[in-house]
């Protein structure tokens, strides 16, 4: 433990590493914040959708009035819809409500979309049996398992579900993995190469615990720092996105996000974010292991950075 603490102290006492790390953290927050800033339309859309959920009858009545107004003025080139939701803009009430109803249709029609997947899977089972596949064959059992999984999430998205926002922006943010890679590429080689550049490696190897014990301490430190950096960069990006555009309820089903509508598991957004972060940690642990192997070859910092980039 004393060797591990010594290696940890050497890492965090390095001004260069600390300054680079702080720069990347600040850059991560700034990029995540500005890239996730919602435009005025998105802000107004959220308000209109909330108003729709709070008083559907009133919104339906207004929408029907706008439809009638559109038919009455279909040949009037100077006609324009009112902009009570977004005054002084090109986004009129009719187009805004069109988008609101499209989003509501996605939530209300989620069960129907899942039923189509289930029916398609059942038809495939019938076709396979008609072609001579037994009920115990892999192909049939796979389709039966798919039907079972999608049946479990048939009504997971409630009708009139609240508008989900923020999480798709966070999950699509590619700056987080890029900056995490940069942070690890600077940090991990330093853990292994610093002794060589300071000419203390011969002294450490001559010490009683300077061989395998020091090597294991460096390996465990690298893996621990990798997990810490990955989680920290994810948390900073998540916080920056929250400060910029906010989030809907974190307990909503993951299927409420359009990109995840066909996920065949019952899973909340919170559970998926934990899974997503865990997978990132594992991926960067693999990358850290690669950097540790490259660094043990006593390459220069530039060589380790180049090898990490190629990886």
């Amino acid at each position: 433990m004393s060797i591990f603490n010594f290696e940890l102290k050497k890492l965090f006492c390095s001004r260069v590493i600390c300054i680079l790390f702080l720069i990347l953290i600040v850059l991560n927050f700034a990029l995540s914040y500005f890239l996730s800033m919602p435009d005025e339309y998105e802000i107004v859309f959220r308000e209109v959708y909330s108003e729709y959920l709070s008083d559907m009858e009133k919104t339906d009545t207004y929408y029907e009035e706008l439809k009638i107004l559109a038919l009455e003025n279909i040949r009037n080139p100077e006609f324009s819809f009112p902009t009570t939701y977004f005054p002084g803009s090109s986004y009129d009430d009719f187009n805004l409500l069109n988008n609101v109803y499209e989003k509501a249709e996605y939530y209300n029609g989620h069960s129907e979309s899942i039923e189509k997947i289930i029916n398609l899977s059942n038809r495939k089972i019938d076709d396979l049996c008609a072609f001579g596949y037994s009920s115990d064959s892999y192909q049939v059992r796979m389709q039966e398992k798919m039907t079972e999984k999608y049946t479990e999430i048939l009504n997971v998205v409630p009708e009139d579900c609240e508008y989900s926002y923020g999480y798709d922006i966070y999950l699509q943010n590619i700056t987080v993995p890029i900056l995490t890679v940069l942070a690890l590429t600077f940090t991990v080689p330093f853990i292994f190469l610093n002794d060589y550049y300071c000419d203390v490696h011969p002294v450490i190897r001559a010490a009683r615990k300077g061989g395998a014990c020091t090597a294991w301490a460096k390996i465990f430190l690298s893996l621990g720092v990798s997990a810490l950096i990955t989680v920290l960069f994810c948390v900073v990006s998540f916080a920056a996105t929250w400060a910029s555009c906010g989030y809907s309820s974190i307990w909503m089903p993951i299927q409420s996000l359009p990109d995840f509508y066909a996920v065949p598991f019952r899973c909340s957004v919170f559970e998926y974010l934990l899974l997503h972060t865990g997978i990132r940690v594992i991926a960067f642990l693999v990358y850290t292991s690669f950097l540790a192997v490259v660094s043990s070859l006593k390459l220069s910092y530039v060589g380790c950075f180049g090898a990490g980039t190629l990886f």
Side-chain angles (χ1 to χ4, degrees), residues 54-70:
S54 63
D55 194 344
M56 293 185 184
E57 184 176 350
K58 178 182 177 182
T59 306
D60 290 343
T61 302
Y62 183 50
Y63 188 52
E64 292 300 323
E65 292 175 357
L66 291 176
K67 285 182 178 179
I68 296 172
L69 195 62

Side-chain angles (χ1 to χ4, degrees), residues 158-205:
E159 293 189 359
D160 306 324
C161 180
E162 69 171 290
Y163 177 52
S164 58
Y165 57 88
Y167 302 106
D168 51 347
I169 298 175
Y170 165 74
L171 294 171
Q172 294 169 5
N173 189 351
I174 64 171
T175 61
V176 181
I178 292 174
L179 294 177
T180 305
V181 167
L182 286 176
L184 293 175
T185 306
F186 285 125
T187 305
V188 176
F190 175 86
I191 295 173
F192 287 89
L193 298 177
N194 185 53
D195 294 339
Y196 294 101
Y197 282 91
C198 294
D199 294 326
V200 296
H201 183 65
V203 178
I204 293 176
R205 292 198 62 181

Side-chain angles (χ1 to χ4, degrees), residues 24-67:
L24 291 176
I25 285 289
V26 172
L27 188 61
N28 182 30
F29 184 90
L31 289 175
S32 299
Y33 182 87
F34 288 108
L35 290 176
S36 61
M37 288 186 68
D39 54 22
E40 292 182 354
Y41 178 81
E42 173 66 17
I43 296 173
V44 173
F45 182 82
R46 295 179 192 176
E47 295 176 357
V48 175
Y49 198 89
S50 297
E51 183 179 322
Y52 161 75
L53 291 179
S54 63
D55 194 344
M56 293 185 184
E57 184 176 350
K58 178 182 177 182
T59 306
D60 290 343
T61 302
Y62 183 50
Y63 188 52
E64 292 300 323
E65 292 175 357
L66 291 176
K67 285 182 178 179

Side-chain angles (χ1 to χ4, degrees), residues 140-157:
V140 173
R141 286 189 290 110
M142 182 182 69
Q143 293 299 326
E144 289 176 346
K145 191 66 176 178
M146 183 179 295
T147 301
E148 178 185 339
K149 285 295 182 182
Y150 278 107
T151 302
E152 292 176 0
I153 66 162
L154 188 58
N155 298 307
V156 71
V157 177

Side-chain angles (χ1 to χ4, degrees), residues 95-109:
N95 286 320
L96 262 171
L97 289 178
N98 265 336
N99 293 334
V100 166
Y101 280 97
E102 285 179 5
K103 179 62 68 172
E105 184 179 353
Y106 165 76
Y107 294 132
N108 297 336

